Amino acid sequence: MASYDYLRQRTYLFLAMNQRESEFEFIKGLSAELSSRNLVFPTSLKATMKIRQALDDPDMPTEQVARIISTEPVLSAQVLMLSNSAMFNRSTKKIEELRVAVTLLGFSVVRNVAISVGMKQLKDQQDNTSKSEQMEGLWTRSMRVAALSYVIARNRTKLSADKAMVAGLLHDIGKFYILSRAHQYQGLFTSDQALWELIDQWHADIGAAILESWEVSDDIREAVMDRKRTDLPLHTRPTLTDVVAAADFLDAGFVKQSLQDIDWTNVPGALKNLGLNEESAIRLMTETRQEMAQILRVIA
């Protein structure tokens, strides 16, 4: 069943079980937007997502890619800036043409930058200080989970590390969307706690519906939808869901540079599927510290 049809069914179930009619009206409105694929995102974000979809064609000529990128000035500036960074440009010659920048960076980096730019545009549209701070916190954590997903995929699986980074960047897109729309409903929520209770209940379903509308691949949608499941099956071939679930779980420990607070006798199945125990997780954290920093420079 399509994610937006499932979301519509859950919305009406919510009406039957919940007496807070104003919150239902808010969710019903989101459901209608998603069902009609009329997502209320900033124009700039819609443009960058279309650019990302266009870049999925590996046979597209570099000149055409450069023309597509040039339609979004923020993305163009970010691509040129990255191509002139010490991380990518080992020469002393400054790159000023998008075509040359795209050739140097490669399509996968440019795709990830497009998503990063789009998400930042969504974050920066807030005019409410409280919501802006909440968006900033979500964005910072999404970047960390993206970088951690990348290093876990590259070091512990045969999966595409670039795809893992995208899944990590988008893993909280449902939260971004609800927050971005909530600021237009002033007075609807009695407190931040009430808002976050609703976000916690709905963000996975809404995120999956958004990614379906954007025609993001099934495995990324599944990672967004299922990463919090406590019944992930145990197996010897880790999935993208395992990678994002593990990154989401380990993020706080990587931030503190300490995994001592984790009860390693009771960890998500995703870590077991990845062969991550206390010893190997600490080794991963130590060995990838510099790599994580480089990745964050790319997407920040």
Side-chain angles (χ1 to χ4, degrees), residues 233-286:
L234 297 178
H235 44 70
T236 57
R237 298 186 63 182
T239 66
L240 195 61
T241 301
D242 292 322
V243 170
V244 177
D248 191 28
F249 179 80
L250 292 173
D251 171 62
F254 270 65
V255 171
K256 294 187 297 183
Q257 290 294 305
S258 172
L259 302 176
Q260 293 180 348
D261 294 338
I262 295 176
D263 178 5
W264 290 97
T265 64
N266 184 29
V267 297
L271 270 72
K272 299 175 183 177
N273 291 337
L274 290 158
L276 283 171
N277 54 27
E278 183 173 9
E279 180 182 353
S280 57
I282 291 174
R283 186 167 60 249
L284 177 69
M285 181 175 66
T286 302

CSV table of all heavy atoms in Angstrom, one decimal, residues 233-286:
chain,number,residue,atom,x,y,z
A,233,PRO,N,14.6,-8.2,12.3
A,233,PRO,CA,15.1,-9.6,12.2
A,233,PRO,C,16.6,-9.7,12.3
A,233,PRO,O,17.3,-8.8,11.8
A,233,PRO,CB,14.6,-10.1,10.9
A,233,PRO,CG,14.4,-8.9,10.1
A,233,PRO,CD,14.0,-7.8,11.0
A,234,LEU,N,17.1,-10.8,12.9
A,234,LEU,CA,18.6,-11.0,13.0
A,234,LEU,C,19.0,-11.7,11.8
A,234,LEU,O,18.4,-12.7,11.3
A,234,LEU,CB,18.9,-11.8,14.3
A,234,LEU,CG,18.6,-11.1,15.6
A,234,LEU,CD1,18.9,-12.0,16.8
A,234,LEU,CD2,19.3,-9.8,15.7
A,235,HIS,N,20.1,-11.3,11.2
A,235,HIS,CA,20.6,-11.9,9.9
A,235,HIS,C,22.1,-11.6,9.8
A,235,HIS,O,22.6,-10.7,10.5
A,235,HIS,CB,19.8,-11.5,8.7
A,235,HIS,CG,19.5,-10.0,8.7
A,235,HIS,ND1,20.5,-9.1,8.4
A,235,HIS,CD2,18.4,-9.4,8.8
A,235,HIS,CE1,19.9,-7.9,8.5
A,235,HIS,NE2,18.7,-8.0,8.7
A,236,THR,N,22.7,-12.2,8.8
A,236,THR,CA,24.2,-12.0,8.6
A,236,THR,C,24.5,-11.0,7.5
A,236,THR,O,25.6,-10.7,7.2
A,236,THR,CB,24.9,-13.3,8.3
A,236,THR,OG1,24.2,-13.9,7.2
A,236,THR,CG2,24.7,-14.2,9.5
A,237,ARG,N,23.5,-10.5,6.8
A,237,ARG,CA,23.7,-9.5,5.7
A,237,ARG,C,23.0,-8.2,6.1
A,237,ARG,O,21.8,-8.1,5.9
A,237,ARG,CB,23.1,-10.1,4.4
A,237,ARG,CG,23.8,-11.3,3.9
A,237,ARG,CD,23.3,-11.7,2.5
A,237,ARG,NE,23.7,-10.8,1.5
A,237,ARG,CZ,23.3,-10.9,0.2
A,237,ARG,NH1,22.6,-11.9,-0.2
A,237,ARG,NH2,23.7,-9.9,-0.6
A,238,PRO,N,23.7,-7.3,6.7
A,238,PRO,CA,23.1,-6.0,7.2
A,238,PRO,C,22.4,-5.3,6.1
A,238,PRO,O,22.8,-5.3,4.9
A,238,PRO,CB,24.3,-5.3,7.7
A,238,PRO,CG,25.4,-6.3,8.0
A,238,PRO,CD,25.2,-7.3,6.9
A,239,THR,N,21.3,-4.6,6.4
A,239,THR,CA,20.5,-3.8,5.5
A,239,THR,C,20.7,-2.4,5.8
A,239,THR,O,21.3,-2.0,6.8
A,239,THR,CB,19.0,-4.1,5.7
A,239,THR,OG1,18.6,-3.7,7.0
A,239,THR,CG2,18.7,-5.6,5.5
A,240,LEU,N,20.2,-1.5,4.9
A,240,LEU,CA,20.3,-0.1,5.1
A,240,LEU,C,19.5,0.3,6.4
A,240,LEU,O,20.0,1.2,7.1
A,240,LEU,CB,19.7,0.7,3.9
A,240,LEU,CG,20.0,2.2,3.8
A,240,LEU,CD1,21.5,2.4,3.7
A,240,LEU,CD2,19.3,2.7,2.6
A,241,THR,N,18.5,-0.4,6.7
A,241,THR,CA,17.7,-0.1,7.9
A,241,THR,C,18.6,-0.4,9.2
A,241,THR,O,18.6,0.4,10.1
A,241,THR,CB,16.5,-1.0,8.0
A,241,THR,OG1,15.6,-0.7,6.9
A,241,THR,CG2,15.7,-0.7,9.3
A,242,ASP,N,19.4,-1.5,9.1
A,242,ASP,CA,20.3,-1.8,10.2
A,242,ASP,C,21.3,-0.6,10.4
A,242,ASP,O,21.6,-0.2,11.5
A,242,ASP,CB,21.1,-3.1,9.9
A,242,ASP,CG,20.2,-4.3,10.0
A,242,ASP,OD1,19.3,-4.4,10.8
A,242,ASP,OD2,20.4,-5.2,9.2
A,243,VAL,N,21.8,-0.1,9.3
A,243,VAL,CA,22.9,0.9,9.3
A,243,VAL,C,22.3,2.2,10.0
A,243,VAL,O,22.9,2.8,10.9
A,243,VAL,CB,23.4,1.2,7.9
A,243,VAL,CG1,24.3,2.5,7.9
A,243,VAL,CG2,24.2,0.0,7.4
A,244,VAL,N,21.1,2.6,9.5
A,244,VAL,CA,20.6,3.9,10.0
A,244,VAL,C,20.1,3.7,11.5
A,244,VAL,O,20.3,4.6,12.3
A,244,VAL,CB,19.4,4.4,9.1
A,244,VAL,CG1,18.7,5.6,9.7
A,244,VAL,CG2,19.9,4.7,7.7
A,245,ALA,N,19.5,2.5,11.8
A,245,ALA,CA,19.1,2.2,13.2
A,245,ALA,C,20.3,2.3,14.1
A,245,ALA,O,20.3,2.8,15.2
A,245,ALA,CB,18.4,0.9,13.2
A,246,ALA,N,21.4,1.7,13.7
A,246,ALA,CA,22.6,1.7,14.5
A,246,ALA,C,23.2,3.1,14.7
A,246,ALA,O,23.6,3.5,15.8
A,246,ALA,CB,23.7,0.8,13.9
A,247,ALA,N,23.2,3.9,13.6
A,247,ALA,CA,23.7,5.2,13.6
A,247,ALA,C,22.9,6.1,14.6
A,247,ALA,O,23.4,6.9,15.4
A,247,ALA,CB,23.8,5.8,12.2
A,248,ASP,N,21.6,5.9,14.5
A,248,ASP,CA,20.6,6.6,15.3
A,248,ASP,C,20.8,6.3,16.8
A,248,ASP,O,20.8,7.2,17.6
A,248,ASP,CB,19.2,6.3,14.9
A,248,ASP,CG,18.1,7.2,15.5
A,248,ASP,OD1,18.4,8.3,15.8
A,248,ASP,OD2,17.0,6.7,15.7
A,249,PHE,N,21.1,5.0,17.0
A,249,PHE,CA,21.3,4.6,18.4
A,249,PHE,C,22.6,5.0,19.0
A,249,PHE,O,22.7,5.4,20.1
A,249,PHE,CB,21.2,3.1,18.5
A,249,PHE,CG,21.4,2.5,19.8
A,249,PHE,CD1,20.4,2.5,20.8
A,249,PHE,CD2,22.6,1.9,20.2
A,249,PHE,CE1,20.6,1.9,22.0
A,249,PHE,CE2,22.8,1.4,21.4
A,249,PHE,CZ,21.8,1.4,22.4
A,250,LEU,N,23.7,5.0,18.2
A,250,LEU,CA,25.0,5.3,18.7
A,250,LEU,C,25.4,6.7,18.7
A,250,LEU,O,26.4,7.1,19.2
A,250,LEU,CB,26.0,4.5,17.8
A,250,LEU,CG,26.1,3.0,17.9
A,250,LEU,CD1,27.0,2.4,16.9
A,250,LEU,CD2,26.4,2.6,19.3
A,251,ASP,N,24.5,7.6,18.0
A,251,ASP,CA,24.9,9.0,17.9
A,251,ASP,C,25.3,9.7,19.2
A,251,ASP,O,26.3,10.3,19.2
A,251,ASP,CB,23.7,9.7,17.2
A,251,ASP,CG,23.9,11.2,17.2
A,251,ASP,OD1,24.8,11.7,16.5
A,251,ASP,OD2,23.1,11.9,17.8
A,252,ALA,N,24.5,9.5,20.2
A,252,ALA,CA,24.8,10.2,21.5
A,252,ALA,C,26.2,9.8,22.0
A,252,ALA,O,26.9,10.6,22.5
A,252,ALA,CB,23.7,9.9,22.5
A,253,GLY,N,26.5,8.5,21.9
A,253,GLY,CA,27.8,8.1,22.3
A,253,GLY,C,28.9,8.6,21.5
A,253,GLY,O,30.0,9.0,22.1
A,254,PHE,N,28.7,8.8,20.2
A,254,PHE,CA,29.8,9.3,19.4
A,254,PHE,C,30.0,10.8,19.7
A,254,PHE,O,31.1,11.3,19.6
A,254,PHE,CB,29.5,9.1,17.9
A,254,PHE,CG,30.0,7.8,17.3
A,254,PHE,CD1,29.5,6.6,17.8
A,254,PHE,CD2,31.0,7.8,16.4
A,254,PHE,CE1,30.0,5.4,17.3
A,254,PHE,CE2,31.5,6.7,15.8
A,254,PHE,CZ,31.0,5.4,16.3
A,255,VAL,N,28.9,11.5,20.0
A,255,VAL,CA,29.0,12.9,20.3
A,255,VAL,C,29.8,13.1,21.6
A,255,VAL,O,30.7,14.0,21.7
A,255,VAL,CB,27.6,13.6,20.5
A,255,VAL,CG1,27.7,15.0,21.1
A,255,VAL,CG2,26.8,13.6,19.2
A,256,LYS,N,29.5,12.3,22.6
A,256,LYS,CA,30.2,12.4,23.9
A,256,LYS,C,31.6,11.7,23.8
A,256,LYS,O,32.4,11.8,24.8
A,256,LYS,CB,29.4,11.7,25.0
A,256,LYS,CG,28.1,12.4,25.3
A,256,LYS,CD,27.4,11.8,26.5
A,256,LYS,CE,27.0,10.4,26.3
A,256,LYS,NZ,26.3,9.8,27.4
A,257,GLN,N,31.9,11.1,22.7
A,257,GLN,CA,33.2,10.3,22.6
A,257,GLN,C,33.3,9.3,23.7
A,257,GLN,O,34.4,9.0,24.2
A,257,GLN,CB,34.4,11.2,22.6
A,257,GLN,CG,34.5,12.1,21.3
A,257,GLN,CD,34.7,11.3,20.1
A,257,GLN,OE1,35.7,10.5,20.0
A,257,GLN,NE2,33.9,11.4,19.1
A,258,SER,N,32.1,8.7,24.1
A,258,SER,CA,32.1,7.7,25.1
A,258,SER,C,30.9,6.8,24.9
A,258,SER,O,29.8,7.3,24.8
A,258,SER,CB,32.1,8.3,26.5
A,258,SER,OG,31.9,7.3,27.5
A,259,LEU,N,31.1,5.5,24.9
A,259,LEU,CA,30.0,4.5,24.8
A,259,LEU,C,29.8,3.8,26.1
A,259,LEU,O,29.1,2.7,26.1
A,259,LEU,CB,30.3,3.5,23.6
A,259,LEU,CG,30.6,4.2,22.3
A,259,LEU,CD1,30.9,3.1,21.3
A,259,LEU,CD2,29.3,4.9,21.8
A,260,GLN,N,30.3,4.4,27.2
A,260,GLN,CA,30.2,3.7,28.4
A,260,GLN,C,28.8,3.6,29.0
A,260,GLN,O,28.5,2.7,29.8
A,260,GLN,CB,31.1,4.4,29.5
A,260,GLN,CG,32.6,4.2,29.1
A,260,GLN,CD,33.5,4.9,30.1
A,260,GLN,OE1,33.0,5.7,31.0
A,260,GLN,NE2,34.8,4.6,30.1
A,261,ASP,N,27.9,4.5,28.6
A,261,ASP,CA,26.5,4.5,29.2
A,261,ASP,C,25.6,3.5,28.5
A,261,ASP,O,24.5,3.3,29.0
A,261,ASP,CB,25.9,5.9,29.0
A,261,ASP,CG,26.7,7.0,29.8
A,261,ASP,OD1,27.3,6.6,30.8
A,261,ASP,OD2,26.6,8.1,29.5
A,262,ILE,N,26.1,2.8,27.5
A,262,ILE,CA,25.3,1.9,26.8
A,262,ILE,C,25.2,0.5,27.5
A,262,ILE,O,26.3,0.0,28.0
A,262,ILE,CB,25.8,1.6,25.3
A,262,ILE,CG1,25.6,2.9,24.5
A,262,ILE,CG2,25.0,0.5,24.7
A,262,ILE,CD1,26.2,2.8,23.1
A,263,ASP,N,24.1,-0.1,27.7
A,263,ASP,CA,23.9,-1.4,28.2
A,263,ASP,C,24.1,-2.4,27.1
A,263,ASP,O,23.2,-2.7,26.3
A,263,ASP,CB,22.5,-1.6,28.9
A,263,ASP,CG,22.3,-3.0,29.4
A,263,ASP,OD1,23.3,-3.8,29.4
A,263,ASP,OD2,21.2,-3.3,29.8
A,264,TRP,N,25.3,-2.9,26.9
A,264,TRP,CA,25.6,-3.8,25.8
A,264,TRP,C,25.0,-5.1,25.9
A,264,TRP,O,25.1,-5.9,24.9
A,264,TRP,CB,27.2,-3.9,25.6
A,264,TRP,CG,27.8,-2.6,25.2
A,264,TRP,CD1,28.3,-1.6,26.0
A,264,TRP,CD2,27.8,-2.1,23.8
A,264,TRP,NE1,28.7,-0.5,25.2
A,264,TRP,CE2,28.4,-0.8,23.9
A,264,TRP,CE3,27.3,-2.6,22.6
A,264,TRP,CZ2,28.6,0.0,22.7
A,264,TRP,CZ3,27.5,-1.8,21.5
A,264,TRP,CH2,28.1,-0.5,21.5
A,265,THR,N,24.3,-5.4,27.0
A,265,THR,CA,23.6,-6.7,27.0
A,265,THR,C,22.2,-6.5,26.5
A,265,THR,O,21.4,-7.5,26.3
A,265,THR,CB,23.5,-7.2,28.5
A,265,THR,OG1,22.7,-6.2,29.3
A,265,THR,CG2,24.8,-7.4,29.1
A,266,ASN,N,21.8,-5.3,26.1
A,266,ASN,CA,20.4,-5.0,25.7
A,266,ASN,C,20.5,-3.9,24.6
A,266,ASN,O,20.1,-2.8,24.8
A,266,ASN,CB,19.5,-4.6,26.8
A,266,ASN,CG,18.1,-4.4,26.4
A,266,ASN,OD1,17.6,-5.0,25.5
A,266,ASN,ND2,17.4,-3.4,27.0
A,267,VAL,N,21.0,-4.3,23.4
A,267,VAL,CA,21.1,-3.3,22.3
A,267,VAL,C,20.2,-3.7,21.2
A,267,VAL,O,19.8,-4.9,21.1
A,267,VAL,CB,22.6,-3.2,21.8
A,267,VAL,CG1,23.5,-2.7,22.9
A,267,VAL,CG2,23.1,-4.6,21.3
A,268,PRO,N,19.9,-2.8,20.3
A,268,PRO,CA,19.0,-3.1,19.1
A,268,PRO,C,19.6,-4.2,18.3
A,268,PRO,O,20.8,-4.4,18.2
A,268,PRO,CB,18.9,-1.8,18.4
A,268,PRO,CG,19.2,-0.8,19.4
A,268,PRO,CD,20.2,-1.4,20.3
A,269,GLY,N,18.7,-5.0,17.6
A,269,GLY,CA,19.2,-6.1,16.7
A,269,GLY,C,20.1,-5.6,15.6
A,269,GLY,O,20.9,-6.3,15.1
A,270,ALA,N,19.9,-4.3,15.2
A,270,ALA,CA,20.7,-3.7,14.2
A,270,ALA,C,22.2,-3.8,14.5
A,270,ALA,O,23.0,-4.1,13.6
A,270,ALA,CB,20.3,-2.3,13.9
A,271,LEU,N,22.6,-3.5,15.7
A,271,LEU,CA,24.0,-3.6,16.1
A,271,LEU,C,24.5,-5.0,16.0
A,271,LEU,O,25.6,-5.3,15.6
A,271,LEU,CB,24.2,-3.1,17.5
A,271,LEU,CG,24.5,-1.5,17.6
A,271,LEU,CD1,23.2,-0.8,17.3
A,271,LEU,CD2,25.0,-1.2,19.0
A,272,LYS,N,23.7,-6.0,16.4
A,272,LYS,CA,24.1,-7.4,16.3
A,272,LYS,C,24.2,-7.8,14.8
A,272,LYS,O,25.2,-8.5,14.5
A,272,LYS,CB,23.0,-8.3,17.0
A,272,LYS,CG,22.9,-8.0,18.5
A,272,LYS,CD,21.7,-8.8,19.1
A,272,LYS,CE,21.5,-8.4,20.6
A,272,LYS,NZ,20.4,-9.2,21.2
A,273,ASN,N,23.3,-7.3,14.0
A,273,ASN,CA,23.4,-7.6,12.6
A,273,ASN,C,24.7,-7.1,12.0
A,273,ASN,O,25.3,-7.6,11.0
A,273,ASN,CB,22.2,-7.1,11.8
A,273,ASN,CG,20.9,-7.8,12.2
A,273,ASN,OD1,21.0,-9.0,12.6
A,273,ASN,ND2,19.8,-7.2,11.9
A,274,LEU,N,25.2,-6.0,12.5
A,274,LEU,CA,26.4,-5.3,12.0
A,274,LEU,C,27.7,-5.8,12.7
A,274,LEU,O,28.8,-5.4,12.4
A,274,LEU,CB,26.3,-3.8,12.2
A,274,LEU,CG,25.3,-3.1,11.3
A,274,LEU,CD1,24.9,-1.8,11.9
A,274,LEU,CD2,25.9,-2.9,9.9
A,275,GLY,N,27.5,-6.7,13.6
A,275,GLY,CA,28.6,-7.3,14.4
A,275,GLY,C,29.3,-6.2,15.3
A,275,GLY,O,30.5,-6.3,15.5
A,276,LEU,N,28.5,-5.3,15.8
A,276,LEU,CA,29.0,-4.2,16.6
A,276,LEU,C,28.7,-4.5,18.1
A,276,LEU,O,27.6,-4.6,18.5
A,276,LEU,CB,28.3,-2.9,16.3
A,276,LEU,CG,28.9,-2.2,15.0
A,276,LEU,CD1,28.0,-1.0,14.7
A,276,LEU,CD2,30.3,-1.8,15.2
A,277,ASN,N,29.8,-4.8,18.8
A,277,ASN,CA,29.7,-4.9,20.3
A,277,ASN,C,30.5,-3.7,20.9
A,277,ASN,O,30.9,-2.8,20.2
A,277,ASN,CB,30.2,-6.2,20.8
A,277,ASN,CG,31.6,-6.5,20.2
A,277,ASN,OD1,32.4,-5.6,20.0
A,277,ASN,ND2,32.0,-7.8,20.1
A,278,GLU,N,30.6,-3.7,22.2
A,278,GLU,CA,31.3,-2.6,22.8
A,278,GLU,C,32.7,-2.4,22.3
A,278,GLU,O,33.1,-1.3,21.9
A,278,GLU,CB,31.4,-2.8,24.3
A,278,GLU,CG,32.0,-1.6,25.1
A,278,GLU,CD,31.9,-1.7,26.6
A,278,GLU,OE1,31.5,-2.8,27.0
A,278,GLU,OE2,32.2,-0.8,27.3
A,279,GLU,N,33.5,-3.4,22.1
A,279,GLU,CA,34.9,-3.3,21.7
A,279,GLU,C,34.9,-2.8,20.2
A,279,GLU,O,35.7,-1.9,19.9
A,279,GLU,CB,35.6,-4.7,21.8
A,279,GLU,CG,37.0,-4.7,21.3
A,279,GLU,CD,37.6,-6.1,21.4
A,279,GLU,OE1,37.0,-7.0,21.9
A,279,GLU,OE2,38.8,-6.2,20.9
A,280,SER,N,34.1,-3.4,19.3
A,280,SER,CA,34.2,-3.0,17.9
A,280,SER,C,33.6,-1.6,17.7
A,280,SER,O,34.1,-0.9,16.8
A,280,SER,CB,33.5,-4.0,17.0
A,280,SER,OG,32.1,-4.2,17.4
A,281,ALA,N,32.6,-1.2,18.5
A,281,ALA,CA,32.0,0.1,18.4
A,281,ALA,C,33.0,1.2,18.8
A,281,ALA,O,33.1,2.2,18.2
A,281,ALA,CB,30.7,0.2,19.2
A,282,ILE,N,33.7,0.9,19.9
A,282,ILE,CA,34.7,1.9,20.4
A,282,ILE,C,35.9,2.0,19.3
A,282,ILE,O,36.3,3.1,19.1
A,282,ILE,CB,35.3,1.4,21.7
A,282,ILE,CG1,34.2,1.6,22.8
A,282,ILE,CG2,36.5,2.2,22.1
A,282,ILE,CD1,34.6,1.0,24.2
A,283,ARG,N,36.2,0.8,18.8
A,283,ARG,CA,37.3,0.9,17.7
A,283,ARG,C,36.8,1.7,16.5
A,283,ARG,O,37.6,2.5,15.9
A,283,ARG,CB,37.7,-0.5,17.3
A,283,ARG,CG,38.9,-0.6,16.4
A,283,ARG,CD,39.4,-2.0,16.2
A,283,ARG,NE,38.4,-3.0,15.7
A,283,ARG,CZ,37.8,-3.9,16.4
A,283,ARG,NH1,38.2,-4.1,17.7
A,283,ARG,NH2,37.0,-4.7,15.9
A,284,LEU,N,35.6,1.5,16.1
A,284,LEU,CA,35.0,2.2,15.0
A,284,LEU,C,35.0,3.7,15.3
A,284,LEU,O,35.4,4.5,14.4
A,284,LEU,CB,33.6,1.8,14.7
A,284,LEU,CG,32.8,2.5,13.6
A,284,LEU,CD1,33.4,2.2,12.2
A,284,LEU,CD2,31.3,2.1,13.6
A,285,MET,N,34.6,4.1,16.5
A,285,MET,CA,34.5,5.5,16.9
A,285,MET,C,35.9,6.1,16.8
A,285,MET,O,36.1,7.2,16.3
A,285,MET,CB,34.0,5.6,18.3
A,285,MET,CG,33.8,7.1,18.8
A,285,MET,SD,33.0,7.1,20.4
A,285,MET,CE,34.2,6.3,21.5
A,286,THR,N,36.9,5.4,17.3
A,286,THR,CA,38.3,5.9,17.3
A,286,THR,C,38.9,6.0,15.9
A,286,THR,O,39.5,7.0,15.5
A,286,THR,CB,39.2,5.0,18.2
A,286,THR,OG1,38.6,4.9,19.5
A,286,THR,CG2,40.6,5.5,18.2
